[in-house]
Amino acid sequence: GSVSTRILSTHMLAAFTFAAALLHTSGTARVARCCPPAAAVLPATEYMLRQLQPAQSIGLLAAWEKASRDLRAAGFRGPQDEAIGERALKLKQLAETLPRVKSTAMILGLCEKGSLSFETLEEPHKSQAETLSRTSLRAAISAGRGSAIAFVSQWEDHVSIDAVVVNPQYLELGEAAEAVLLADIAQRARAAGVADVRLHPAYQADGAAFYERCGFVAAAGGAEGAPLRFASGSEAPEVAAAEPAAAAEAVAAEPAAATGPAGAEAGAAREGAAEKQGSTDSTSDPRA
């Protein structure tokens, strides 16, 4: 009995060591240039990189909004106990930002359906009507292991990343997801011949260094609060999105009745896996 137990323990340790080595070699090299070292890096193929329709994003954003409120009500203590120190400030910003971006997604959805028109919006959205009419949503989705959503507007001469939010229950993994998503957006813009990619930064625990590793820096002589620019000498990292079949397998283990952010992410990933590859992930247009 004791011999069998020792053999089983040895095999489990070997399997764990092999899995950890595989994760490191397959994922870290691909996103090392844009991902904060402190974040737990997942291979880019762990994410469903895709465009989200506004209606698809609302449930996910609502779940994240609720999670951010619940975490703050619980004294910033969550499943990962991450919301301490600098990340407590990150959670605070997410709690303030998520209601606003959820409202934006709702307006985009209503305009897409024809229930609203960008031309007849009232304040505070009226002044943002042109930006909203040019906005699409891109996401890096994983089933309960960190996800990010970006609001991206396409202009004649540049692409603007106007807001990025992450799942507040997985703040460190959210940093990795955000880095992968920024790389995906920059890569698509460059592939479409758009060199000017701008970013309105959010609060990061690692400050400006986070964005510098992603290739986004302040413009020389730029005013305070001005968007960051994707450095002309930077190379947008090659990011491989999850194949639809792989994404379906990644969320297959999620409980059918999952609720909250993890369940919403699983649902978004399942919807993406069901679509034919290329239907929403065209590489010819950064808004596609």
Side-chain angles (χ1 to χ4, degrees):
S2 60
V3 173
S4 298
T5 300
R6 286 197 298 272
I7 292 174
L8 179 59
S9 299
T10 301
H11 286 175
M12 291 176 65
L13 178 60
F16 176 80
T17 303
F18 174 76
L22 181 62
L23 175 63
H24 175 76
T25 56
S26 64
T28 304
R30 188 175 288 133
V31 296
R33 282 173 294 183
C34 68
C35 197
V41 180
L42 292 175
T45 49
E46 293 283 347
Y47 296 97
M48 170 67 75
L49 293 167
R50 63 185 296 254
Q51 178 172 321
L52 285 183
Q53 297 304 316
Q56 294 172 321
S57 72
I58 293 171
L60 187 54
L61 292 170
W64 291 1
E65 179 187 359
K66 181 180 185 302
S68 68
R69 291 199 308 265
D70 291 346
L71 284 168
R72 295 195 72 191
F76 299 95
R77 307 294 288 183
Q80 311 298 317
D81 286 341
E82 297 175 309
I84 57 177
E86 295 296 320
R87 288 194 175 87
L89 298 177
K90 175 67 174 180
L91 178 60
K92 180 177 183 293
Q93 189 212 44
L94 281 171
E96 295 169 349
T97 302
L98 282 163
R100 175 173 57 83
V101 297
K102 185 187 72 172
S103 174
T104 298
M106 293 175 68
I107 290 173
L108 292 176
L110 290 172
C111 289
E112 187 177 75
K113 290 171 56 179
S115 301
L116 280 180
S117 169
F118 293 115
E119 289 74 20
T120 59
L121 292 177
E122 298 181 357
E123 294 295 358
H125 302 290
K126 180 178 179 179
S127 58
Q128 304 168 356
E130 184 174 7
T131 297
L132 291 173
S133 70
R134 298 172 177 267
T135 296
S136 60
L137 279 64
R138 289 206 64 82
I141 300 292
S142 71
R145 299 182 68 182
S147 299
I149 296 176
F151 288 69
V152 184
S153 57
Q154 173 69 40
W155 301 81
E156 286 76 8
D157 59 349
H158 70 277
V159 169
S160 178
I161 305 170
D162 300 318
V164 182
V165 290
V166 302
N167 183 346
Q169 289 191 316
Y170 302 93
L171 292 174
E172 289 190 41
L173 289 172
E175 292 170 9
E178 181 172 353
V180 169
L181 182 56
L182 292 177
D184 175 61
I185 294 169
Q187 177 180 317
R188 289 173 179 277
R190 288 294 175 90
V194 180
D196 187 356
V197 184
R198 306 176 188 180
L199 168 67
H200 294 267
Y203 179 86
Q204 299 292 346
D206 205 19
F210 172 88
Y211 292 114
E212 290 172 3
R213 285 192 288 271
C214 296
F216 287 89
V217 297
E224 183 178 355
L228 303 180
R229 302 293 183 95
F230 190 72
S232 59
S234 298
E235 177 186 352
E238 292 295 323
V239 177
E243 294 292 333
E249 292 174 4
V251 299
E254 289 290 326
T259 59
E265 286 166 9
R270 287 191 186 96
E271 289 181 13
E275 297 175 356
K276 292 182 179 179
Q277 187 175 13
S279 61
T280 59
D281 270 342
S282 168
T283 58
S284 61
D285 187 330
R287 286 195 68 191

